[in-house]
Each structure stands twice: as structure tokens, then as C-alpha cells.
Amino acid sequence: MKKLTIYLSLILLSLLTYYCSTVPITGRSQLSLVPASQINALSFQQYGEFIKNNKLSEDKESVAMVKRVGANIQKAVETYFAQNNLSDQLKGYEWEFNLIESEEVNAWCMPGGKVVVYTGILPLTKDETGLAVVMGHEIAHAIAQHGAERMSYGLLQELGGMALSVALQNEPEATKNIFLTAYGVGTTVGVMLPFSRSHESEADRLGLIFMAMAGYNPEAAIDFWTRMSQKGGQALPEWLSTHPSDETRIADIKKHLPEALRYYKK
């Protein structure tokens, strides 16, 4: 077992050496076996199916707020990437922001800028700035290509590193499941968890910067995550959770606030 672990570690190290990209701002190297064009196409397909099968909110005020916050953060992201000569990384993005009628406390962003907010999270965001905390965080997941990274590890684990185009042709159902798992639709106890926790922390940092650039006070993130922690329910131990503990997340946000505030202009 020990030899197998060492062998797999060497394989991962080799893949990171030859198939890696760098996350903007943080500079972290990540495994990247999935071309952006392919994962964006898969994302748009899955997103279209989701929108088709779920009810869009008819609350005009809330819908307008979601689209406004989304557009502001989109502009911030595009500005940051342009300033750092990274605009090519946003090639193929087709931004879209929708509010779904659901009691679920959730929001997400698929590759290519497809964003969904659930009405169930609005009582916790409370206002536009609170919503910017959530949308900044979720958009950061897409910007950092966390989905592509998670899917790369999924393809490696489940299909032996099979190329996405081949996997879609030969193992369509397994590939779809890997995609859905990469975006948190399901849970896995095992080696994928550390990457998930790492992604959440990285998205918190990037999200603070993007919301600050969009004109929203990043300090509001502390209040939002405090409200989330007080929502109730039995919390999982941090080592068994795909998210940092409430205490860890809030402590990390406080640590990253000075950096984010440098981008904030009232």
C-alpha cells in the first residue's frame, strides 16, 4: 500500500510538472488536463439543462440585484485580467446571472461565467453587499479554474487520466458524474477533500479582491460568514468537510482583508 501511495504521488508530481497552470493572484500551480474550450462547452450544456428544469425567480427587484452584482463583479474580473495581461484566460466566457426559486441556501458558478443564485440564500446575504460576498466567492471558483482542476483529478482517478474528449465519447455517464462531483453535486471522502478545502479558501481570498474592485466593502464578508455559522445544524468536523470550519474561514478572511481593501474604493 505504501509503495502504491508513493507511486501515485510520483505520477501526480509528473503530471503537475507537465500539465499545470497557475491560479491568478495566488500563483498556485494546479493540475490542468482539461482544455478550457472543452470544459466550457460541457458547462454550457449542463447549465442549459439546469435552467430548463428549474424555475427562474419572478421577483423583479431580487433578479435585478443578482444581475447588477454579477455585472459589477464581471467588470472587476475583466479589469483585473486586462491590467495583468491575462485577458486571454477569459476567452470563451459567456457570462450569465440567474436567480432560481428554491429554498436551498446555495449559489454556484460553472466554467465560462454561468452563475446561479438560489432565493434561499437571500435572507442571509441581506443586501447587495452581502450578495457580492457570495457571488464574488462563487465566480472566483470559476476564475481559478477549480472545476477544471477537480475534473482533472477526477479523470485521473476514475478513468486513468483519459482525455476529456475521449472520456465524453467512451464513458459519457461517468464523465458527467465526474463533472457534477467537481461542482459539489455529491460528496467524496478521500483524497479529493483536501483539494476542495484548498479551493474554498482560495475562492474566499479571490472573492474578497473581486468584490472590492467591484465597489463593495470586503469587510462585509465577516458578517455574512458569521450569519452562516449561526444558521444552525450539526457542523461536520473540518477534516471531513469540503469547506473550512467557520472559525478557520473567518480567521482567514480577516487575514486577507488588508490585501482586499487595497482594491476597494468607496
Side-chain angles (χ1 to χ4, degrees):
M1 185 67 180
K2 184 177 181 181
K3 289 183 178 180
L4 178 60
T5 301
I6 294 173
Y7 178 67
L8 289 174
S9 297
L10 289 173
I11 291 176
L12 285 174
L13 182 60
S14 298
L15 286 169
L16 281 170
T17 301
Y18 293 102
Y19 299 98
C20 70
S21 59
T22 302
V23 178
I25 300 177
T26 70
R28 179 178 65 84
S29 294
Q30 60 184 171
L31 181 64
S32 181
L33 300 177
V34 184
S37 59
Q38 291 183 2
I39 200 168
N40 283 353
L42 182 57
S43 168
F44 296 163
Q45 177 186 350
Q46 295 298 323
Y47 182 82
E49 289 182 14
F50 178 88
I51 294 299
K52 181 180 178 180
N53 294 316
N54 288 271
K55 179 177 172 56
L56 293 173
S57 173
E58 296 178 355
D59 182 337
K60 293 182 180 180
E61 186 175 343
S62 295
V63 169
M65 180 173 65
V66 166
K67 293 186 182 298
R68 182 168 61 249
V69 173
N72 289 340
I73 295 178
Q74 173 189 345
K75 182 179 178 181
V77 168
E78 291 172 344
T79 298
Y80 177 88
F81 275 61
Q83 291 173 347
N84 291 276
N85 299 315
L86 297 171
S87 294
D88 60 315
Q89 293 190 20
L90 298 177
K91 184 179 179 180
Y93 268 60
E94 297 179 10
W95 295 92
E96 191 173 337
F97 311 98
N98 275 306
L99 180 64
I100 295 296
E101 195 67 46
S102 170
E103 295 182 0
E104 187 175 346
V105 180
N106 198 12
W108 43 260
C109 178
M110 285 187 180
K114 300 300 189 183
V115 183
V116 159
V117 176
Y118 295 69
T119 55
I121 204 170
L122 296 183
L124 285 169
T125 58
K126 287 189 176 295
D127 55 25
E128 188 164 327
T129 303
L131 181 60
V133 174
V134 173
M135 295 185 72
H137 172 89
E138 297 304 331
I139 288 170
H141 276 306
I143 295 304
Q145 300 184 49
H146 288 161
E149 184 179 358
R150 291 178 183 181
M151 193 159 187
S152 294
Y153 280 102
L155 288 170
L156 181 64
Q157 287 182 311
E158 302 295 331
L159 301 176
M162 187 183 296
L164 179 58
S165 57
V166 177
L168 285 169
Q169 181 176 349
N170 297 344
E171 301 284 350
E173 193 62 30
T175 305
K176 179 181 178 181
N177 289 337
I178 291 171
F179 178 87
L180 294 176
T181 299
Y183 290 91
V185 185
T187 57
T188 303
V189 177
V191 297
M192 292 295 284
L193 282 175
F195 298 106
S196 295
R197 290 199 298 271
S198 171
H199 289 167
E200 289 299 326
S201 297
E202 193 167 55
D204 281 339
R205 178 185 173 189
L206 299 180
L208 289 173
I209 291 172
F210 294 145
M211 71 174 292
M213 290 184 68
Y216 300 103
N217 187 348
E219 293 173 312
I222 296 175
D223 292 334
F224 170 75
W225 288 112
T226 299
R227 290 195 296 273
M228 283 288 286
S229 70
Q230 295 171 346
K231 183 176 179 292
Q234 182 68 35
L236 288 172
E238 184 168 3
W239 63 269
L240 194 59
S241 172
T242 57
H243 291 60
S245 70
D246 297 322
E247 295 81 4
T248 299
R249 166 167 263 148
I250 291 172
D252 285 346
I253 285 173
K254 289 179 178 178
K255 182 176 69 176
H256 293 308
L257 270 177
E259 177 187 28
L261 285 167
R262 293 199 296 269
Y263 294 88
Y264 177 53
K265 293 183 175 64
K266 297 181 180 180

